[in-house]
Amino acid sequence: MDRPEVLVAVSNPEHVEQLVRSASDLARTMDGGVRIVSVVVKSHDSPFGVFSDETIIEEYSGDRRALLDRASRVAPEDVPVDAEVLVARSVEDGLLRAVAEMGPAALLVGWHGGGRRRSDVVLGTSVDALLRRAPCDVYVERIGRIADGVDDVLLPVAGGPHVRPAAAMAKAVAAANDASVTALAVAAPEDDRDRAAEWAANGRAAVEAAPGPAVEVTATVGEADDAIDALVAAADDSDLVVFGATRAGTLQARLVGSVPRAVADRTDRTVLIARASEAARTGLRGLIAGFRRR
């Protein structure tokens, strides 16, 4: 496929609409398409292990094909869609292989959030692996409430390369829904407010520079002792929150790992986390290490 693609992974029929809709919004702004994939896991001790991948796809993937058919019907008519079943030893292996072979511009996966996690796991073992290794922009969307229309998109910002993909998704969803975007930087009393204002202005500029039609975007600086409280309050006034992952810094540190999870746990709004392709190329171990330190 010559056009840029957004690769989206689906496994649960109940989550198809949410994920394919976000992928389609992003693909539309790229003048690209969506490739929907579903991974059949062939573990070493599975009865499937005696069959070839081709046999599994041809004879034992009926439910996955039905899922892909349903997912394809969800996509809007103006966005080209391809769909296929993959066979791999694990979900992450299948998706990483698909990224390597297909070269998509972005990968979108679902994240269930909540629940108890091991101390060395950030968003989940599969999601962590994709964040570390996928050499394209990666979007992780918290599975949950599907917004009944989108009027306001919140873009928390604190600098760093991940603002770019976060701004791209925020603009894509806003453009699809005739909504507005607010680039918000939250400064604690001890923080440099001018720096926060610069982050907010840069967030607005990133939205304006992202592909797609112009949308209404504003830059806002808030001041609060607790960034999570401020972001939850702002999220509750929005329909969608798009975080850009960030690796270092003081205020920046609050916008990664524990903060998106904490905000997601305290709001019923749709939450997305974006990770830039540049981070994979420059070594994402620091990002994950940063997650784990928080």
Side-chain angles (χ1 to χ4, degrees):
M1 187 180 291
D2 294 332
R3 59 178 177 263
E5 285 188 317
V6 177
L7 186 70
V8 55
V10 296
S11 61
N12 188 323
E14 295 181 0
H15 307 153
V16 161
E17 180 178 355
Q18 180 179 356
L19 296 174
V20 172
R21 186 171 63 179
S22 297
S24 299
D25 289 346
L26 185 63
R28 184 184 294 110
T29 61
M30 300 176 181
D31 195 22
V34 170
R35 185 178 293 268
I36 308 168
V37 298
S38 189
V39 180
V40 175
V41 175
K42 186 175 72 171
S43 60
H44 292 287
D45 57 354
S46 166
F48 278 142
V50 301
F51 299 112
S52 68
D53 293 356
E54 292 75 15
T55 299
I56 293 172
I57 291 173
E58 291 175 2
E59 300 186 18
Y60 300 102
S61 63
D63 57 339
R64 296 305 178 116
R65 291 190 179 281
L67 175 64
L68 293 178
D69 289 343
R70 174 173 174 168
S72 298
R73 289 194 296 272
V74 171
E77 294 182 354
D78 63 330
V79 177
V81 175
D82 288 313
E84 61 184 281
V85 175
L86 307 175
V87 179
R89 295 297 182 187
S90 68
V91 171
E92 58 267 32
D93 285 349
L95 295 179
L96 289 169
R97 189 180 69 192
V99 168
E101 294 176 352
M102 301 171 186
L107 169 67
L108 173 66
V109 298
W111 165 50
H112 292 275
R116 296 180 63 85
R117 293 174 292 273
R118 301 197 323 256
S119 60
D120 60 339
V121 174
V122 182
L123 300 178
T125 53
S126 295
V127 173
D128 284 5
L130 296 170
L131 286 168
R132 281 195 303 269
R133 297 166 58 190
C136 63
D137 291 346
V138 178
Y139 294 94
V140 181
E141 181 165 358
R142 196 272 298 269
I143 297 297
R145 168 181 176 271
I146 299 176
D148 183 18
V150 176
D151 295 320
D152 303 291
V153 179
L154 180 65
L155 177 68
V157 291
H162 311 292
V163 172
R164 176 191 58 76
M169 178 62 84
K171 184 175 187 177
V173 175
N177 293 276
D178 195 22
S180 61
V181 178
T182 299
L184 171 65
V186 178
E190 69 273 16
D191 289 325
D192 183 344
R193 189 176 177 85
D194 290 340
R195 190 180 185 195
E198 181 180 353
W199 287 336
N202 289 342
R204 179 177 60 192
V207 173
E208 293 171 342
V215 300
E216 179 183 347
V217 54
T218 58
T220 301
V221 176
E223 185 172 309
D225 292 328
D226 189 312
I228 293 176
D229 286 345
L231 291 173
V232 169
D236 287 342
D237 290 332
S238 306
D239 300 301
L240 168 68
V241 185
V242 186
F243 286 92
T246 312
R247 288 187 292 178
T250 52
L251 176 59
Q252 293 168 333
R254 303 175 194 148
L255 297 181
V256 187
S258 61
V259 170
R261 288 202 306 267
V263 173
D265 288 344
R266 292 173 54 186
T267 182
D268 65 352
R269 302 315 194 219
T270 302
V271 175
L272 272 152
I273 303 171
R275 193 230 68 196
S277 58
E278 303 93 288
R281 288 197 293 270
T282 57
L284 196 58
R285 290 183 179 178
L287 173 60
I288 296 299
F291 282 160
R292 290 172 175 164
R293 285 194 294 270
R294 292 166 192 125

